[in-house]
Amino acid sequence: MFIQKPRGMHDILPDEAPLWWRLERTARELCARYGFEEVRTPVLEYTELFRRGVGEATDIVEKEMYTFEDRGGRSVTLRPEGTAGAVRAYVEHKIYSLPQPVKWFYIGPMFRYERPQAGRQRQFHQFGVEVFGSDDPACDAEVIELGIDFLAAAGLEGLELELNSVGCPDCRPEYRRRLQEYFRPFAGQLCEDCRERLERNPLRLLDCKNASCRRIADGAPVITEALCDACRRHDEGVRRHLEAAGIAYRLNPRLVRGLDYYTRTAFEVVEGAIGAQGTVLGGGRYNGLVRELGGPERPGIGFAAGLERLILALKAKQAGEPAKTAVDLFGVAVGEEADAALTRHLRRLRRAGCRALRGFDGKSLKAQLKAADRSGARWALILGEEELRRGVAILRDLRTGNQKEVPLGELENWWTEERDYDGSPQS
Ligand code: HAM
């Protein structure tokens, strides 16, 4: 019986791979420009890391983690996000004792056992960044700027940035209390999830999608009025720097994030065209997390962008047409001897940077030329017994049909000149 891929997981086939390279290259190039270095942490971590890092009362930890026991009986979890692992590595390798700030980025798969739908998968990929060791609002603005620049460079210009402050351990408890006080009389009208959140995580009541919960949440007190002076000053600083950078934002006092580690700045970028799962990027500050995970007091801030959602958005705008990998030359041989010679000469050409394919299985000349056409190659290199005897190859320009002979010893030179003349791409 045929075995399918697990639900909510996707194959990325070769026709889409170039789009992925492009996004990944864009991310890497931008990170270099902003001074971020790459970190690669394990896909699997001890479950405790996410319980403590992401938070016991979050949907992710309560119901979305791929958790199992390894053969030694320890509970491990496929990472549902990248921040907790990055913080763990920062603490484990004592990176906090190096000069700060430390700026990291990562690209890789994450796993959440959610109900799959368009833009929501059980394995998905994030490009994320984390900055450790600075509490400067200019740092928040720089991280946001990098996120916006990344989306723009990927092809999503002009998306709306939503910004909020979720306060800190000084001012949030009072706000939580006010929220509970507000929501309690409505408890009977709230959905089951929200009734439970009311005691455990009342901030999450603000972003329930349920229509009746939403109506009630509309009248809830906003956090902006409950922020302490330090949080308010920080928030003003972030906005001042965003304005200086020319980044438009919309204040959304109901923006709360699905992870518990956030303090102060929280932000999201939403793309309206791709439906309910439209948040392409989200992040915020997490000043207590390094401490929570066993390190010293070090502030942090970061974001992650969902690459599948980004691709969906690009496709909705038809900006994501993947370019097929270009082929320069297709080798065609007739006869056993020529066939072996083709292997030798294609190797030389590939070493000189030529993207060269060939046919297999001893097909007829006609069939091989047809395959050459289909490959999209610019040139067909044709070798028969007669050419071999004379030490030449026929090079046919598949665009014009013109052909010429090139001495076999000159093939690399021919290719280098062609390439420089033609301006063929080199990557
Ligand atoms: P998050 O908001 O949970 O934040 O995820 C970030 C992005 O990952 C989302 O905006 C979305 O684009 C994508 N994403 C999340 N879940 C799925 C899914 N099931 N399918 C497809 N895409 C998804 C974080 O993960 C934080 N670690 C971000 C962060 C970094 N905050 C500070 N530093």
Side-chain angles (χ1 to χ4, degrees), residues 60 64 80-84 106 110-115 117 119-126 128-130 257-259 261-262 267-269 277-286 300-310:
I60 293 182
E64 295 171 1
E81 58 102 51
T83 308
Y106 48 86
M110 309 290 160
F111 303 83
R112 296 185 192 174
Y113 195 82
E114 297 192 78
R115 197 168 49 76
Q117 63 181 82
R120 192 161 70 195
Q121 303 178 190
R122 290 181 174 172
Q123 176 178 335
F124 59 98
H125 295 77
Q126 287 185 344
V129 312
E130 315 291 348
R257 307 257 310 123
L259 305 101
Y261 47 63
Y262 292 110
F267 56 93
E268 284 184 353
V269 179
Q277 304 300 320
T279 308
V280 288
L281 182 152
R285 185 165 273 290
Y286 46 84
I301 177 163
F303 72 74
L307 297 182
E308 281 83 0
R309 288 192 192 170
L310 199 59

